Amino acid sequence: MTYWLWSIPPDVYPAAVRTGTLALRRQGRPRLADMAAGDRVFVYLSGRGAIVGEFEVVGEPFEDATALAPGRHMPHRVRVHPVAVLPSEAWISRDGVVDHLRVLEDYPEVPSGARFRRVVQQVVHPLPPIDGKVLEFVIQARLGTDPDTLMAAVEAVRDARDAGPTVAQVAEPATGYDASTFDRDSALRQLSQAIGSRGFQFEPWEVAAYVTALRTKPFVLLAGVTGVGKSKLPVLVSEATGGAAIVLPVRPDWTDPAETMGYTDLSGQFRPGAVLRAAQEASAGDRYHTLVLDEMNLGRPEHYLAEVLSRMEQRSQAPGGYETPPLLTDRLPHDDATWQAVRLPPTLGLVGTVNVDESAHVFSRKVLDRAFVLELAPRDLARWRAEPGPTQATDWPLDAWRPRAIR
């Protein structure tokens, strides 16, 4: 029997429990071949920073293209049976167990504070037997299991510790980013060709300038008249490089951060906004995320994006790049405290589209000072045919989006 740690997004977890199916998109797929019936899987809720349950593998891995959760293409799956599903108030905080896990010793080259992040970024990661016993003990304690069972778990932990630090074999050894292995010039040419082969016309310099701006500072404004592809370019680049993109239409009545950061409803429950949700998902994902604020100047960004604009100037070095301090400033109730720690991670880029006409607001210097502004040229409508070339560019590693500095 092998123990595994499986990281899944919070919005997928209810469907996983309901259907008895754990799924992933791409990262971690080769390790499914090493799973066998009887293995134990601890589910880690990415973005919430908590271990939420233990499951037993009951079948062979399989492929299924149907959506497990709305908008989620996660075709690589395995059937599981719940051993222990913790209620939300009993979830095991990452900070409470991370110092007791030997799996972190697999990454001596990574700073100690980032080792657990390296583990969960693999999505599916084998655990040493001692780690499995420790997590089983903690889960049983959270469920209020009787003392005799807990003592048996304690003895199992002691036996595993005495047996030595036997570690399960890792199918995919994690490696640091080596700039020499990623040919950026070739990748950008291939990206431009992939976009052209789908019938969209963007000059190669426009694609290269957009990618460079997004790498340098995670806030880009795309300006131009209607119809030049301002909202389409970020989506095309994201799709062609293996990333994820969300388009959020901005409304003129956004006069506060309720839609972007969130708000507390009449029952006292916090309702996270679109930007906060995107930041949480990107921080726990294995690919680069892009949030497109469409028609951004229909409202005033100083009103609905104030926290983000302020935190953006306070970025500091973090594993994988640079991140901001926590986005929320107001103290939330204990039940919603997980949102309190959400930051703008290095794996999320914000892109605003700007219509240049009299129907929208003029950006203030505060906004322009924090963004790269790229003006897209009008298209040559005579070039309407798709250009020959690859329809899909090579997926970019996360490190390919990493900036070399914050200024």
Side-chain angles (χ1 to χ4, degrees), residues 213-357:
L214 201 58
R215 286 183 60 222
T216 307
K217 179 177 285 190
F219 188 27
V220 179
L221 298 179
L222 298 179
V225 298
T226 300
V228 296
K230 300 185 297 295
S231 58
K232 196 63 180 178
L233 177 60
V235 175
L236 291 171
V237 170
S238 185
E239 291 175 349
T241 56
I246 299 175
V247 179
L248 176 65
V250 174
R251 297 200 305 266
D253 60 349
W254 286 8
T255 57
D256 57 52
E259 296 292 339
T260 53
M261 291 293 102
Y263 64 95
T264 301
D265 62 19
L266 295 178
S267 63
Q269 183 176 0
F270 180 71
R271 304 291 183 179
V275 174
L276 200 64
R277 293 196 304 269
Q280 183 196 57
E281 184 174 350
S283 64
D286 59 343
R287 51 183 175 160
Y288 193 80
H289 289 64
T290 306
L291 178 62
V292 183
L293 297 163
D294 198 24
E295 305 284 1
M296 189 175 182
N297 57 337
L298 285 180
R300 293 189 179 276
E302 306 90 330
H303 295 169
Y304 63 81
L305 214 60
E307 289 88 348
V308 176
L309 294 175
S310 296
R311 294 294 187 271
M312 201 174 291
E313 293 297 280
Q314 303 173 34
R315 290 187 301 157
S316 58
Q317 193 164 7
Y322 297 85
E323 66 180 11
T324 69
L327 294 174
L328 293 180
T329 56
D330 297 334
R331 180 63 57 183
L332 299 179
H334 176 72
D335 294 342
D336 302 312
T338 53
W339 296 104
Q340 196 81 50
V342 175
R343 307 164 183 260
L344 193 64
T347 52
L348 175 64
L350 299 179
V351 180
T353 68
V354 184
N355 263 343
V356 184
D357 57 33

Side-chain angles (χ1 to χ4, degrees), residues 140-175:
Q140 293 301 321
R142 289 296 178 93
L143 291 175
T145 307
D146 66 274
D148 291 338
T149 303
L150 287 180
M151 286 306 300
V154 171
E155 293 300 327
V157 171
R158 289 174 177 169
D159 292 342
R161 182 178 291 113
D162 293 340
T166 303
V167 181
Q169 295 298 315
V170 178
E172 292 179 302
T175 58

Side-chain angles (χ1 to χ4, degrees), residues 16 54 57 64 77 84 86 99 104 112 122 174 186 193 240 248 252 269-270 286 296 328-329 342 384 392:
E54 180 184 0
V57 177
D64 190 343
R77 305 179 180 182
L86 296 175
D99 293 335
L104 305 187
S112 58
Q122 308 301 313
S186 175
Q193 292 173 359
L248 176 65
Q269 183 176 0
F270 180 71
D286 59 343
M296 189 175 182
L328 293 180
T329 56
V342 175
W384 61 273
Q392 176 66 39

Side-chain angles (χ1 to χ4, degrees), residues 118-138:
R118 176 62 64 87
V119 171
V120 298
Q121 281 178 343
Q122 308 301 313
V123 179
V124 179
H125 201 293
L127 296 175
I130 181 63
D131 288 358
K133 296 298 183 182
V134 167
L135 293 178
E136 283 185 335
F137 171 78
V138 176

